[in-house]
Amino acid sequence: MTQSPAAPSVPKSLPKRSGRLVLLLCFLTIVFDGYDLVVYGATVPTLLGHPTWDIDPARAGLIGSLALVGMLIGTLTVGALTDILGRRRIMLFCIAWFSVCMLATAAAPNETVFAVLRFLTGLGLGGVVPTCIALTVEYAPKSRRQIANALMFSGYSVGGVCAAVLAISTLPALDFQWLYAVGALPLVTLLPIAYRYLPESIAFLAARRSPAEARATADQFGLVYEDIVTERPAEASGTAAAPPARRSSLRDLFSSRWRRSTFLFAAANFCGLLLVYGLNTWLPQIMRGAGFELGSALAFLLVLNLGAIVGSIGASWVADRIGIKKVVTASFILACISIFLISLNLPVALLFVLVAFAGLGSVGTQILVGGFCATHYPQRLSPTALGWSLGVGRIGAMMGPIIGGIIASTALGYQINFYAFAAVAVLGAVVVSSVASRSGEQGSGEQGGAQQAHDLAAAAAAARA
């Protein structure tokens, strides 16, 4: 039996520890995840003007999508290995993997090697995302899992902000390769700390090692064991129990009861992820086409991610009170309006405000789409529903950079990019508004918010996409 590199046992006499440490480690991991993805968009203008590399807009879009292809494969691979190796070991390995790949990317001698390394980096980045979700919700108090998940995922936009700030302060004075070298910092900063302090998943300990160790770990972190691990009655009494008959969750998703919602949530994730990665990849270059200098164009990328940070947390808070469907629909509409208005010849200050709202309507909305999907289905179907919808959504993530590159390679004008992204946001709003309300669904108030957090946590911890 494979064991995690965690300490063999957790005696109850150990000092109490806080789950906030796990949240912090997962947050920092997602910060670097966001940095490593957004830094490509920050360097696209430089790559297009590279004196020796043969990169045109269409090829830049293709290279941008390679990291996302790698993320999809990495996520699926982690889904197959996490129950064998443990989430702690997977997370440590993935941090080391993408850090080494970022360092190698900084030394890439040509555009072909650079593209391959972007794909390899994506493998590691895709592995940390589901692992961070699972550990974050598992080590958060049951009533705070939704806000903990939102805070953790805000790290993506924090990483985007860091990428934009560094690009503004270093380009074009320094070679763009230095920005990729920064992505290797987790190897000497985050990884040693995570190796020392990151605990193993309590659910993994209970299933693969020792229920006693799992209970001791839950007690050490002040968690209720039964909120994380559900034991069958026979297990609780110490007797063997026959395994329950397996039910096909995927078949249920496409039954007459859930088929319509299943396709709609896949379409919503497609739209949301296309906006996230399309804007983060191409916004600086689009604004360059609008006549802005490199520093000002990168400042728009900075504001996009700042808007996403504030928006995603604020929108999650509102969703717990008035219903998540209303907030997701309104966020898509906000994205459409703000993205369309950016195409107009408006004062610079107003453009920055609109870009901030676009950040809320893209990155913030995508976080909420996952929560909406998780709480729409019965708990037993939520993991499969998330895996299916996010899997289809990854196709949108890959298409975002490609679509931006195709448009940028034409002579139609920079405004066409905004029209295309605004149209995708409109489609997202229509799709989400078409999702039928679940019978007896709690959409607002503290009780509804607690149920949403519980369902999202259960789904996210088991989801494989």
Side-chain angles (χ1 to χ4, degrees):
M1 182 181 298
T2 304
Q3 291 188 350
S4 166
S9 180
V10 183
K12 292 186 178 181
S13 59
L14 282 179
K16 296 293 184 182
R17 296 171 64 184
S18 172
R20 294 177 181 174
L21 175 62
V22 179
L23 173 60
L24 177 61
L25 291 173
C26 291
F27 169 81
L28 292 175
T29 301
I30 296 300
V31 167
F32 282 103
D33 175 279
Y35 176 90
D36 293 352
L37 289 170
V38 176
V39 73
Y40 179 74
T43 57
V44 161
T46 304
L47 291 170
L48 292 175
H50 198 284
T52 59
W53 289 11
D54 182 21
I55 298 181
D56 57 18
R59 196 168 194 181
L62 178 60
I63 294 174
S65 70
L66 287 177
L68 304 173
V69 175
M71 284 189 71
L72 174 60
I73 297 174
T75 299
L76 295 175
T77 303
V78 163
L81 295 177
T82 187
D83 290 335
I84 300 173
L85 300 177
R87 294 190 174 102
R88 170 184 157 87
R89 176 175 287 177
I90 288 289
M91 185 161 162
L92 295 176
F93 175 81
C94 287
I95 292 172
W97 177 277
F98 73 67
S99 299
V100 171
C101 287
M102 286 294 286
L103 186 60
T105 302
N110 55 56
E111 68 275 14
T112 302
V113 175
F114 180 86
V116 171
L117 288 169
R118 287 301 291 169
F119 168 78
L120 294 176
T121 302
L123 294 176
L125 298 177
V128 299
V129 172
T131 308
C132 285
I133 293 174
L135 289 173
T136 296
V137 297
E138 194 171 294
Y139 278 91
K142 186 175 179 179
S143 62
R144 300 176 186 171
R145 286 171 174 169
Q146 176 78 324
I147 189 62
N149 190 57
L151 287 170
M152 184 273 293
F153 258 122
S154 69
Y156 172 87
S157 297
V158 173
V161 168
C162 293
V165 169
L166 281 175
I168 291 171
S169 60
T170 61
L171 295 178
L174 294 178
D175 290 336
F176 74 93
Q177 287 93 337
W178 284 104
L179 291 174
Y180 290 89
V182 170
L185 282 178
L187 200 61
V188 294
T189 55
L190 177 61
L191 185 61
I193 298 174
Y195 184 87
R196 173 67 178 84
Y197 293 105
L198 184 70
E200 180 56 271
S201 160
I202 294 171
F204 175 81
L205 292 175
R208 304 287 296 185
R209 290 174 62 172
S210 165
E213 183 179 351
R215 284 185 177 275
T217 302
D219 179 68
Q220 184 187 17
F221 282 86
L223 302 170
V224 179
Y225 178 78
E226 289 74 15
D227 287 346
I228 304 168
V229 180
T230 303
E231 295 180 333
R232 294 191 296 272
E235 290 176 336
S237 62
T239 61
R246 294 183 63 86
R247 303 167 69 174
S248 176
S249 297
L250 189 60
R251 180 181 300 176
D252 287 344
L253 286 183
F254 290 96
S255 66
S256 58
R257 170 68 180 88
W258 299 108
R259 186 185 303 120
R260 185 167 180 266
S261 294
T262 297
F263 284 113
L264 289 173
F265 277 116
N269 275 281
F270 178 93
C271 294
L273 287 170
L274 192 154
L275 288 174
V276 170
Y277 291 105
L279 288 172
N280 270 303
T281 299
W282 282 107
L283 184 60
Q285 182 60 24
I286 293 171
M287 301 313 288
R288 287 274 283 168
F292 289 92
E293 296 295 330
L294 179 60
S296 298
L298 290 171
F300 283 103
L301 183 64
L302 169 64
V303 172
L304 179 81
N305 284 280
L306 285 173
I309 295 171
V310 177
S312 59
I313 298 174
S316 296
W317 182 85
V318 175
D320 281 342
R321 284 153 181 79
I322 70 172
I324 194 166
K325 177 179 175 179
K326 297 177 183 178
V327 176
V328 174
T329 304
S331 295
F332 267 125
I333 294 173
L334 179 64
C336 168
I337 295 173
S338 57
I339 291 171
F340 176 80
L341 291 177
I342 294 170
S343 68
L344 305 179
N345 187 19
L346 299 173
V348 174
L350 181 55
L351 286 177
F352 277 116
V353 173
L354 292 171
V355 168
F357 280 118
L360 161 60
S362 56
V363 181
T365 300
Q366 179 52 35
I367 293 174
L368 292 173
V369 167
F372 186 20
C373 178
T375 58
H376 179 78
Y377 293 89
Q379 185 174 328
R380 70 179 184 85
L381 295 181
S382 292
T384 307
L386 274 173
W388 157 261
S389 62
L390 287 171
V392 175
R394 287 293 178 193
I395 300 175
M398 299 169 201
M399 288 186 63
I402 293 175
I403 291 174
I406 292 174
I407 294 175
S409 65
T410 67
L412 297 177
Y414 73 92
Q415 295 93 340
I416 301 299
N417 292 274
F418 293 122
Y419 299 155
F421 290 134
V424 172
V426 170
L427 178 60
V430 172
V431 166
V432 171
S433 65
S434 301
V435 177
S437 297
R438 178 177 167 185
S439 178
E441 186 177 16
Q442 294 167 300
S444 61
E446 294 181 359
Q447 187 177 6
Q451 181 65 33
Q452 179 181 345
H454 177 271
D455 290 346
L456 175 61
R464 292 297 178 261

